[in-house]
């Protein structure tokens, strides 16, 4: 397993990270613990979750149970705040008040006295970015949080947040977590240049485009039961991904991978790992076996010719 610095920080993270979105939703406490053990055995020491994952903080709770004690210091634990957890006007967002409430709750569920990377989950347009950055800086100064980051931020929000931090001499974001995959390269237009300029490492989420880049969806067929796009709750979003253009790209990617004796999953994750701005790629798992498959993608080596060919396949024309 390769380890990289998280942005301009001194923190080392595994290039393949473990996503906690399935914990409490598709994985119970025992399975979560076995997945975390398998990840560590494979060299993955970075886990990413959020206070809304699993419903009511269950993902954090399961991770806390599994890592309680000596295992905690072996892990880089990243979590997020900002989603709705309470009723009323102050039940979400990134105000000073809400940040204080949520970090206390997350620390308790994670059974730890510090969070390695605390991230704003969603941009809060109702709260000044300066207030958010000042509140997060307080957490860093108090030792409750080691580093801070953002998720789902626009490029201008990244720039303004870093300016606010530098103007005050406070803690800056070291990472940004946007959707990024071979099928979704929107962040390359201006978000990645902003991250490079301001020293943020990229933490891609949805690296497999909701499972599309595993080949489980086939043209002309209904999404398989139990898959993301087979879920009636998200079926209305399926057409955005299960399009004729994307299936054509998928076919080309499958041929490309086969010619190099790679699985489609390994190609998708290996391509992200080949991007210099990427610090760690967040991938979920529902079994220890999946963790081992994900970790193996860290060994994929793509040449400059390979990367150019993949650019041609996935170019947005």
């Amino acid at each position: 397993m390769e380890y990289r610095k998280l942005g301009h920080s001194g923190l080392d993270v595994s290039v393949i990270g473990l996503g906690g979105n399935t914990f409490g939703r598709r994985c119970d406490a025992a399975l979560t613990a076995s997945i975390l053990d398998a990840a560590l055995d494979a060299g993955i020491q970075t886990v990413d979750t959020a206070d809304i994952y699993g419903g009511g903080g269950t993902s954090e709770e399961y991770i806390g149970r599994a890592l309680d004690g000596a295992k905690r210091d072996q892990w880089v634990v990243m979590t997020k705040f900002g989603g709705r957890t309470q009723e009323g006007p102050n039940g979400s967002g990134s105000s000073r008040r809400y940040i204080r409430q949520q970090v206390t709750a997350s620390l308790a569920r994670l059974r730890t006295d510090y969070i390695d990377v605390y991230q704003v989950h969603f941009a809060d347009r109702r709260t000044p970015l300066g207030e958010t950055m000042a509140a997060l800086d307080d957490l860093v100064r108090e030792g409750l949080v080691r580093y801070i980051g953002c998720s789902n931020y626009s490029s201008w929000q990244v720039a303004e947040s870093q300016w606010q931090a530098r103007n005050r001499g406070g803690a800056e974001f070291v990472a940004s977590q946007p959707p990024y995959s071979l099928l979704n390269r929107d962040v390359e237009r201006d978000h990645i240049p902003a991250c490079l300029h301001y020293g943020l490492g990229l933490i891609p989420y949805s690296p497999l485009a909701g499972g599309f880049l595993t080949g489980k969806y086939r043209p002309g067929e209904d999404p398989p039961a139990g898959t993301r796009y087979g879920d009636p709750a998200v079926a209305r979003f399926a057409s955005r991904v299960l399009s004729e253009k994307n299936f054509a790209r998928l076919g080309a990617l499958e041929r490309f991978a086969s010619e190099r004796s790679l699985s489609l999953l390994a190609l998708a994750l290996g391509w992200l790992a080949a991007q210099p701005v990427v610090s760690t790629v967040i991938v979920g798992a529902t079994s220890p076996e999946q963790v081992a498959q994900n970790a193996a993608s860290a060994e994929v080596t793509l040449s400059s010719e390979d990367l150019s060919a993949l650019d041609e396949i996935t170019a947005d024309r």
Side-chain angles (χ1 to χ4, degrees), residues 20 23-25 27-30 32-33 36 47 49-68 77-79 105-112:
F23 303 156
R25 189 166 56 89
C27 305
D28 61 16
T32 296
L36 286 161
V47 60
T49 186
D51 57 8
I52 59 173
Y53 288 175
T58 308
S59 176
E60 288 182 332
E61 181 184 343
Y62 286 0
I63 292 170
R65 288 190 207 175
L67 304 189
D68 193 20
V77 177
M78 307 192 295
T79 192
S106 288
L107 287 166
R109 286 190 292 263
L110 289 165
R111 302 189 185 190
T112 184

Side-chain angles (χ1 to χ4, degrees), residues 51 79-83 93-94 99 102 118-122 136:
D51 57 8
T79 192
K80 300 183 285 294
F81 71 91
S94 56
I99 288 172
Q102 293 312 111
Y118 200 40
Q119 304 161 91
V120 188
H121 203 163
F122 307 101
L136 291 173

Side-chain angles (χ1 to χ4, degrees), residues 128-297:
L129 290 170
E131 177 179 335
T132 299
M133 296 306 290
L136 291 173
D137 180 54
D138 288 343
L139 300 185
V140 173
R141 292 178 186 274
E142 293 168 26
L144 300 176
V145 168
R146 300 294 191 250
Y147 300 93
I148 57 174
C150 59
S151 180
N152 299 300
Y153 263 37
S154 66
S155 302
W156 78 261
Q157 288 164 334
V158 168
E160 177 65 13
S161 296
Q162 296 300 78
W163 183 87
Q164 290 284 348
R166 293 178 182 183
N167 190 47
R168 289 181 169 85
E172 300 179 21
F173 287 147
V174 299
S176 175
Q177 189 170 156
Y180 188 30
S181 71
L182 273 167
L183 288 187
N184 182 358
R185 301 178 60 171
D186 292 347
V187 294
E188 293 177 347
R189 295 191 184 99
D190 59 5
H191 194 80
I192 284 179
C195 288
L196 290 170
H197 180 77
Y198 288 104
L200 280 69
L202 210 69
I203 306 176
Y205 76 79
S206 197
L208 301 174
F212 186 84
L213 289 172
T214 63
K216 66 178 66 174
Y217 303 101
R218 309 312 300 178
E221 299 179 8
D222 291 333
T227 61
R228 176 178 177 83
Y229 296 115
D231 182 347
V234 297
R236 66 183 185 278
F237 303 115
S239 61
R240 301 179 187 177
V241 176
L242 308 183
S243 65
E244 182 178 346
K245 180 175 72 173
N246 280 345
F247 276 120
R249 288 174 171 173
L250 181 68
L253 290 171
E254 287 177 325
R255 291 189 292 274
F256 181 95
S258 178
E259 290 167 0
R260 290 156 181 80
S261 300
L262 294 174
S263 69
L264 192 57
L265 178 145
L267 174 64
L269 299 183
W271 176 80
L272 281 170
Q275 309 307 310
V277 70
V278 169
S279 294
T280 179
V281 182
I282 299 302
V283 198
T286 55
S287 70
E289 293 74 24
Q290 273 191 324
V291 172
Q293 292 173 354
N294 296 341
S297 63

Side-chain angles (χ1 to χ4, degrees), residues 84-108:
R84 181 160 295 279
T85 60
Q86 307 161 25
E87 296 299 322
N90 290 306
S92 65
S94 56
S95 68
R96 184 185 301 276
R97 178 182 189 271
Y98 191 70
I99 288 172
R100 279 288 174 177
Q101 287 181 338
Q102 293 312 111
V103 74
T104 300
S106 288
L107 287 166

